[in-house]
Amino acid sequence: SYELTQPPSVSVSPGQTARITCSGDALTIQYTYWYQQRPGQAPMLVIYKDSERPSEIPERFSGSSSGTTVTLTISGVQAEDEAKYYCQSAEVFGGGTTLTVL
Amino acid sequence: EVRLVESGGSVVRPGGSLRLACAASGFIFEDHGMSWVRQAPGKGLEWVSGIDYNGGRARYADSVKDRVTISRDNAKNTLYLQLNSLRAEDTAMYYCARDKSSASPEYFLDWGQGTLVTVSS
């Protein structure tokens, strides 16, 4: 199987833009999905098919793809966005990125 | 409202067995593939197993292959995971997840709250 690589942590101040990357060779041919997991809660889908957003997810969440790297962008970060974020493609999850809102 | 409610987790000795269940409601169960995803304490997400809409095809992670069996009963809207020859490294929260696709895994629209499996002597 293959791996998806995420940075362990990202920190931003409220109102700034957070970018979380996910890298993997398979991402050139497979879609990537993003999940948010707050402490003590189950994961929740925030982006599907690289850049599509479920209707219930705020517009500040967006996704993009370039080559072997996909990026989750959170514009105007709010305190409630502090969570761990995981990328997923097929049966593989990335290791997760902890977003800290300073 | 979609609901996925897992049950069956407990403390079990190494080498023991457990059967997890996931009761689904709020959607047409037989239209969706389903998966189990686990999370060891303080660790990341790991896909364990998936099954397609009618139970015709099951897939397993290498880490659990030959020790785990996934199944479903569409008449009861219930997903199952039989865990055998349990090891300490199987200790985790086990989540049931509804797939977008009729197969699984593609991606997960909804998740249950999980059931905790602890393997310890």
Side-chain angles (χ1 to χ4, degrees), chain A residues 10-55:
Chain A
V10 168
S11 299
V12 296
S13 298
Q16 289 190 328
T17 296
R19 294 180 179 85
I20 299 172
T21 59
C22 173
S23 300
D25 290 342
L27 300 186
T28 56
I29 57 172
Q30 291 182 340
Y31 283 123
T32 306
Y33 308 91
W34 290 94
Y35 302 88
Q36 176 193 70
Q37 186 179 33
R38 295 188 173 111
Q41 296 187 16
M44 178 178 66
L45 180 72
V46 294
I47 293 290
Y48 64 98
K49 292 186 178 179
D50 293 348
S51 59
E52 301 294 320
R53 188 182 65 251
S55 57

Side-chain angles (χ1 to χ4, degrees), chain A residues 48-79:
Chain A
Y48 64 98
K49 292 186 178 179
D50 293 348
S51 59
E52 301 294 320
R53 188 182 65 251
S55 57
E56 65 272 21
I57 301 302
E59 291 184 7
R60 63 180 181 274
F61 287 84
S62 64
S64 61
S65 176
S66 179
T68 59
T69 299
V70 294
T71 302
L72 172 69
T73 300
I74 310 171
S75 304
V77 165
Q78 301 182 6

